[in-house]
Amino acid sequence: MSIGTTLKSSIGAKALMAVTGIILVLFVIGHMLGNLQVYLGADALNAYAAKLQSLGPLLWVIRLVLLGTFLAHIIAAIRVVKLNRAARPVAYHQQKDQATTFAARTMWVSGVLILLFAIYHVLHLTVGVVDPAGTYGALDSEGRHDVYGMVIAGFQHWPTTAIYTVAMVVLCLHVSHGASSMLQTLGLRRPGNASGFDKVGPALAIFLLIGNLSMPLSILAGLVG
Amino acid sequence: MAFQLDSKVPEGPLKEKWTNHRFNMKLVNPANKRKFKVLVVGSGLAGASAAASLAELGYHVECFCFQDSPRRAHSIAAQGGINAAKNYPNDGDSVWRLFYDTVKGGDYRAREANVYRLAEVANNIIDQCVAQGVPFAREYGGMLDNRSFGGAQVSRTFYARGQTGQQLLLGAYQALERQIGKGTVRMHVRSEMLDVVKKDGRAVGIISRDLVTGEMKRFSGDAVLLCTGGYGNVFYLSTNAMGSNVTAAYRAYKRGAGFANPCYTQIHPTCIPVSSEHQSKLTLMSESLRNDGRVWVPKQKDDQRAPNDIPEDERDYYLERRYPSFGNLVPRDVASRAAKERCDAGYGVGATGYAVFLDFAAAIERVGEDVIRARYGNLFQMYEKITGENPYKVPMRIYPASHYTMGGLWVDYNLMTTVPGLFALGEANFSDHGANRLGASALMQGLSDGYFVAPYTVGSYLAEEVPLDGSGAVATDDPAFDQVEQEVQGRIDRLLSVGGKKSVESFHKRLGQIVWDQCGMGRSREGLEQALRDIPKLREEFWKEVFVPGSAGEFNPEVEKAGRVADFLEFAEVLCEDALAREESCGGHFREEHQTPEGEALRDDEHFAHAAVWEYKGDDVRPELSKEQLTFENVKLTTRSYK
Amino acid sequence: MKLTLHVWRQAGPQDRGRMEMLQVDGITSDMSFLEMLDKANEDLIHDGKEPVAFDHDCREGICGTCSMVIDGVAHGPQEGTTTCQLHMRAFKDGDSIHIEPFRSRAFPVIKDLVVDRGSFDRIIAAGGYVSVNTGSAQDANNLPVRKKDADMAMDAAACIGCGACVASCPNGSAMLFVAAKMGHLAHLPQGQAERKERALSMVAQMDAEGFGACSNHYECEAVCPKEIPATFIGSMNREFLKSSLCPDS
């Protein structure tokens, strides 16, 4: 018996999804908290960005870990989806859901959309390949990357804000099921805490939705920048 | 020629018989056990426990059930509990008292030695089941809880909520599955035994039908154990499962096994009454309800008022009135007859007038609704699902229904029938309950036979009668198998070729009506003779006008049903013959000609202290009666009194 | 009342199967759902047609044999109720009712509404027991069990093995069934010795049978006729992860 036994099993595949899910959710929370510094002004945000850049090789380690986590999450998801599809070769003519939610039913759809968005997001704000505002690579007065300017200019462009808005709704839908689900998958949900744990996902999703959407929307509305 | 019935009860004092017998029985040495194969038909409490225990000992076991899994056998439906004389509550219980209560409860028509053994091993059953993880109810201190049950004045019933049968069966089922996983038992599900194969007078195998493919299959074995339950469905409406049937036992009877006391049928007092003609089965409400529920009818005939509108002094708590010392806890036969008496006299309630009230208002007032919910919650829920009425607010309506059959294949002390090598365990045999079974004793008997009796006695038979060199084994291509298989196949072909217009079900319903009316809770010479004229006519009509759709070579539930009903149509006659021959009232058998002026059963110990054993003599020929005289050396025969 | 039934008909495992429409008349509200089907079958037999095959036995909600999806819900619209306990008062005159078998790769259809649930037996055979031979038990009261634990064990042990959890799960997962047996034995002292091996072997068998993986929809809990909570699945996950990651602790 070893980690191999664990991973080979259906429960192991789910546990892998849950563990990687936790890392990704923590990342999403941290990412959001960092970005919220946009409300503190250009200096704060650019200094934060410069500090991240200054991590050098460590930044790459973090990036690789994140990428690996993301890939593992996707591979586990593909396995589970395949397994589950195969488990019911003949579909029902009529099936009425009794307990499940829209979010739970659409996890793989939201997952694929999040993957597409993640690629777009990196191309937009990390690599600058997609750059409708043409502000990628500009420097601020202290010679740092002008992340603040890039963000403000980016979200003043309404199609970009629209894409981010949709993406955040999808992400939060995914998190609303995923974050509660991982507690059950890892065996932490018990009769005493079940109803509380089932609220963790939706609560976290609302928290992320408010935090993440407030930035592009307030920029588009001209309240920031 | 009549049977030579040797009960093989061991010599010696009652208390030492089983111990001595176990010592005197021959053993099969461990290395030789694997040379023997035992066929176990049925996977209820008796079958699953026997199959698992025999396999643990090292025998090759093949086990058969008609359900899709051994876990579904009807033992699962027993609700109330299982008796054992552990005396944990310190209320004066003992093996002797359990033995005494069971003999008395059975109206002195059971074999003393068998009943004593049953009482003796009951304690081992509880130990065994607890070790398997059966989740019996516990007290706060972690000890096992006991409750009281009809027919006893001590609390000796162990229970797991209202699902004791389920939990005990799952324990046995898990033990069986463990052996299946190990490869020591081969399980055949959806497989119905249709006949016994004999050679040189010994049972050497069975013919079964694979219910999925319709294929006939032959299995040979050194011993055959029938653990196939009772025949309560002869009444059509009963608390038995839809699939419960007499076929295995009846086929064995036709191959020479004596059928004992078929007229001892138990009508359970607390069932949900019949509501319409479409009703397919009746549902039992556990007897444990009588611990807290009070049974009553209105004092006024045809009282149409709602039960809660009938004032206290206009209610007739007839069990408490007639039997002040046992009150609502009188044995089943007494409670059932008392309900019938009230309803026949015109005091019944409900739409049909065939129901009495079971009222929890007093208990709820005494201990509170929460306590009652904790005790009977699932039963109350079940009642509400079926009737649409809330028993916390309105008294339940109940009426007796066919529930268990004490009669069955005659077996000796070793549980062997009159056919060497053919054993009968559990409800399928006649041995332990006499003319009436006490509550929480069926589970006890099924498990006693399967876990603690058959593993010894079957071994002893094999050691004594079956040669070790394999010369006793009969191959499945032996002519003995050819012939029986042909007969079985021929019968199925005949059923399919009748090509009439009437469904199998409709015949079963009509048969049930005849048997219920004439051979139910009250029986009379006149009625039984009428039934004995009606049943052959109905059988004749069946073989002319039944329609069985589809073919034999496929999954076809109608073929299964047709075969079972055909057997009931023959068996019902044996049942009525026995009821007619027994000119006394005892236990579940109440002959209207034999009652006291107060309407209590009148036994005739001088002429009927025997087991009546019927022998098949050919189709349409009256079976021959042999008698096993019952001797009572340890209890004094008295008139049962629950006053 | 008069009803229109849309019933799944499938001659055998190889047949593709299809929905078929039947009319049934003369149904009363006090009939059980299966008695309604009995009536439909009587009519079919009367017309010389083959009746609809369905599994049923005890008809009192305990044997777990009956197995159908009624109007898209395993065991039909009433909570905590098996098909056989469902009564026609839950329907009204003129209703159309869809009836399908429990669908799962691990429950192949035998005929019409009858499926093969042998996979459940094999999961139990893989480890759903306490290894104790007949005759080797100590006195029952030598092993006190906390009432709370006994009650929890009984909650789980109430499972009737009907398979509604699998039928209702969007993933065709059997985890509620497996978790119930594991939970029953894990809550009792008798179940401790083999606890880890049991978790591993039962899950391995469950996977080998081709059941899906749980993704926490909790449909199983909603349709379970014995209302076994899905928290047992959480406990099973913990049992399995502990057993596979730290087999020796």
Side-chain angles (χ1 to χ4, degrees), chain B residues 158 198 201 206 211 409 415 427 445 448-449 461 494 497 505 535 616:
Chain B
F158 295 79
K198 274 166 65 181
I206 64 165
L211 301 182
L409 293 172
L415 305 181
E427 192 181 352
Q445 187 222 341
S448 147
D449 288 359
Y461 164 78
R494 255 179 79 206
S497 66
E505 199 79 5
I535 295 164
Y616 175 73

Side-chain angles (χ1 to χ4, degrees), chain B residues 274-535:
Chain B
V274 177
S275 68
S276 81
E277 54 164 324
H278 292 295
Q279 193 125 1
S280 58
K281 81 152 267 159
L282 296 171
T283 303
L284 176 99
M285 304 303 295
S286 170
E287 180 164 6
S288 61
L289 290 171
R290 286 198 278 142
N291 277 324
D292 286 303
R294 297 178 71 196
V295 179
W296 63 277
V297 290
K299 279 185 178 165
Q300 187 187 316
K301 277 189 193 180
D302 292 322
D303 195 331
Q304 294 303 319
R305 285 176 292 179
N308 291 335
D309 294 341
I310 300 176
E312 198 59 30
D313 60 350
E314 292 178 39
R315 299 176 175 192
D316 176 14
Y317 294 93
Y318 59 87
L319 288 177
E320 296 168 28
R321 170 170 59 79
R322 283 177 68 175
Y323 309 101
S325 108
F326 276 67
N328 293 296
L329 288 176
V330 291
R332 292 175 174 178
D333 54 337
V334 177
S336 291
R337 262 198 313 279
K340 178 181 174 350
E341 187 274 328
R342 283 291 83 189
C343 293
D344 286 346
Y347 295 94
V349 299
T352 58
Y354 277 91
V356 299
F357 291 123
L358 180 61
D359 198 337
F360 290 88
I364 289 174
E365 201 174 315
R366 192 176 68 244
V367 296
E369 195 171 310
D370 288 342
V371 175
I372 294 297
R373 180 169 285 115
R375 283 182 194 161
Y376 313 109
N378 62 327
L379 297 170
F380 277 40
Q381 204 186 11
M382 183 159 91
Y383 181 83
E384 189 167 359
K385 267 179 203 163
I386 293 172
T387 62
E389 289 176 358
N390 177 356
Y392 293 100
K393 304 279 172 239
V394 188
M396 287 182 178
R397 279 175 295 113
I398 54 161
Y399 197 67
S402 158
H403 170 59
Y404 185 90
T405 54
M406 285 72 68
L409 293 172
W410 183 89
V411 289
D412 62 17
Y413 190 71
N414 296 319
L415 305 181
M416 191 156 84
T417 66
T418 51
V419 175
L422 183 68
F423 293 77
L425 280 62
E427 192 181 352
N429 74 27
F430 90 113
S431 72
D432 295 359
H433 306 296
N436 175 54
R437 179 176 66 75
L438 290 181
S441 293
L443 302 180
M444 177 168 71
Q445 187 222 341
L447 290 178
S448 147
D449 288 359
Y451 283 133
F452 296 110
V453 181
Y456 294 94
T457 60
V458 171
S460 170
Y461 164 78
L462 294 171
E464 280 178 35
E465 306 292 336
V466 184
L468 268 175
D469 58 8
S471 62
V474 179
T476 51
D477 56 4
D478 189 278
F481 277 92
D482 292 341
Q483 197 205 333
V484 178
E485 185 182 320
Q486 261 172 30
E487 286 173 29
V488 171
Q489 188 65 55
R491 195 175 142 84
I492 291 180
D493 294 343
R494 255 179 79 206
L495 283 168
L496 280 158
S497 66
V498 175
K501 281 260 170 231
K502 296 178 182 165
S503 70
V504 173
E505 199 79 5
S506 67
F507 284 99
H508 195 178
K509 262 185 202 180
R510 286 165 64 195
L511 175 69
Q513 197 64 53
I514 297 172
V515 182
W516 179 250
D517 288 345
Q518 313 296 8
C519 199
M521 276 186 284
R523 299 150 179 193
S524 68
R525 168 165 288 280
E526 198 187 347
L528 290 165
E529 283 171 348
Q530 186 61 44
L532 285 168
R533 285 190 294 275
D534 291 344
I535 295 164

Side-chain angles (χ1 to χ4, degrees), chain C residues 34-66:
Chain C
L34 296 184
E35 283 163 1
M36 182 276 291
L37 279 182
D38 287 343
K39 173 76 171 59
N41 276 346
E42 281 282 306
D43 294 350
L44 285 170
I45 292 171
H46 187 263
D47 297 343
K49 292 185 190 146
E50 202 164 323
V52 180
F54 61 91
D55 260 334
H56 63 104
D57 201 23
C58 78
R59 296 206 179 188
E60 49 187 272
I62 192 74
C63 74
T65 309
C66 58

Side-chain angles (χ1 to χ4, degrees), chain A residues 197-215:
Chain A
F197 274 19
D198 291 347
K199 293 186 188 98
V200 166
L204 189 61
I206 289 168
F207 169 65
L208 286 172
L209 194 70
I210 292 171
N212 274 332
L213 273 188
S214 71
M215 294 179 274

